[in-house]
Amino acid sequence: MLWHRLDPLLTRIRPHREWLALAIDAGIVALCWDITYIFRMGFERWSSAKPSYDHWVMLGLVLLYTQVFLILRIPKGVWRFSGFGEIQRLTFACAIAGLTGAVVVLMAQLVQVPRAVLGLHPVISLMGLAMVRIGYRMLYEHMRASLSGSAQETRRALVMGAGDAGRLLIAGIQHHGWVVVGLLDDNPNKVGMRVGNVPVLGPLDSCAHWARLHGITHLIVAMPQAKPMERRRALDLAAATHLPIVTVPSASELREGEPVAHVRDIEPDDLLGREPVQLDEGGISETLSGKVVLITGAGGSIGSELCRQVARFGPLRLVLYELSEFALYRVEQELSEAFPHIPLVRLVGDVRDPEHLRATFERWRPQVVFHAAAYKHVPLMEDDNTFSALRNNTLGTWHTGRAAANAGVERFVLISTDKAVNPTNVMGATKRAAEMVIAQLAAEATDQGQRTRFMAVRFGNVLGSSGSVIPKFKEQIAKGGPVTVTHPEITRFFMTIPEAARLVVQAAAIGEGGQVFVLDMGEPVKIVDLARDLIRMSGHSLEDIPITFSGLRPGEKLYEELLADADATLPTRFSRLRIARLDQRSDDVSQLLAWAGERSSASDAEVRTQLARVVPEYRPAARL
């Protein structure tokens, strides 16, 4: 209890540390003057041996010492880090002040001041100054050990949220390098109470005041059950302090077994501030449980999250189809550890290889297929790689879909993108053509009496996925900036990787065929606002890490859309999930598939021309 009271006191006086240290040093110099008399004259004679003007001599020496200390910046030393270097500086300062003082006293012919006192005073002052600093360091380290279980320098935290999560957090981190100084909560009935022996200091919007007062190094947002908008408000208030922010796991992460005391950095989904889509867990389980599920692009950002989401519903077997050996190994290792009871089939394969796809589907007989394999990086696909994008994104969808239909797959889900709407780049146009492939396959399945249901899921940018802005911004912030944004007005629709994956598996459960599912993702987000948020929540300001604008890249739009004007939308029983009927252009897409399938290469101009014939809304960006 004593240390809990002493710690706030020390932090409260920290803003005045330098002047307080100078005042203490001046007091020690004055005290050591008397101690020197006692040492030289003895306890019985030290007071009577002083001349009548001794107090003026002592005052002059104290002023001299303080001036020398200021010149040598002695008060700027941090006492809790005092060591040999600090003692060296004190020795030099005391030697200069003591020598100067002795010379002035002798020149003033103040003969009643004992010469031995003048000579011994700097030595005894040095001993006093050093002992105070060493004593403070010992006290500080003992207090740290009492508060956090470690004598090492700790992180001083202010917790936003005084509920059950805050209480469990305090119990879990107080002895692991953290000291929780106080809690904040908007409930007025909690202010003034103590949670885990830590006081509730005030409302959330007072965090900047308490952070300055208590020398806070980190803010912890402990509001897992709060609504996303409430969590986002807390994050914004914390970001205004320009201190690093961490948070406890969200409610969904807690349900998946994450401990409350496991604080983590701010993740992309913390920035969205909207309610997650509520899905039909029972319907999804009926679709996936006990089934053989194949996922193409299984090692990618979306594909690997699809693997995790599908594995939760207990499939009979999970077939991982991936071109990258390293990505396949990584996702296989993760799934084997997290879901050891689910058999995995690990296949290095290319969706541009129809023979291998056919053999794979015939051997493993999947019942549900998620087609996530795609080239998705807009600038990379815009020049020199246009034909590769066409073959992978469009022709690869055709090969995979045909193999699925021939093998009697029950459900086939294509992962599409908002860039397929009124595309201005090759990547978007190839994904729009892939949606048209799905429409054609769905029509053929109906005409021929096949049971495969083909559908697509269209969503916006996925926060945290490979190639997205979040990893890029985090890397630039870690390097000290600047953070580069293409245009100050550029906006995007955003969703999180888990949210995207859940949407996909929900579409697989309710899709009837020939449909594209669209998630209502709320208002689009300005990329520059996202960059500012990440900078602030990493504990920096825009002065520390500036934002620069590089200009729009080839094929890039200022604003993305989720629905084209000609698309008809229908509601589903999920309030934020809608269906867009695809415009079927089977003749056109067949010609494109035939053209791409009969050659091994083509120029960028040829690819754009062919795509423009098939996707009439495709408007290639002007070439420089």
Side-chain angles (χ1 to χ4, degrees), residues 284-343:
I284 295 173
S285 179
E286 183 179 342
T287 303
L288 300 177
S289 181
K291 302 290 182 68
V292 178
V293 180
L294 184 146
I295 300 175
T296 68
S301 303
I302 301 300
S304 59
E305 182 62 29
L306 273 172
C307 292
R308 299 182 197 102
Q309 296 293 336
V310 169
R312 291 174 51 232
F313 294 96
L316 177 65
R317 180 178 290 109
L318 197 52
V319 183
L320 312 177
Y321 198 86
E322 170 61 55
L323 180 60
S324 167
E325 177 193 26
F326 174 71
L328 180 62
Y329 169 77
R330 185 175 55 187
V331 70
E332 180 265 341
Q333 290 293 303
E334 180 185 343
L335 293 173
S336 296
E337 181 177 347
F339 306 96
H341 59 286
I342 297 178

Side-chain angles (χ1 to χ4, degrees), residues 108-154:
Q109 297 184 355
L110 302 176
V111 295
Q112 295 184 33
V113 177
R115 304 297 184 266
V117 171
L118 289 174
L120 289 173
H121 179 248
V123 178
I124 295 178
S125 294
L126 174 63
M127 294 172 61
L129 294 168
M131 287 176 63
V132 168
R133 282 159 171 77
I134 294 172
Y136 179 85
R137 178 171 178 174
M138 292 173 62
L139 174 67
Y140 186 87
E141 291 180 355
H142 182 64
M143 182 177 65
R144 289 277 73 83
S146 299
L147 290 174
S148 64
S150 171
Q152 301 300 315
E153 183 67 11
T154 57

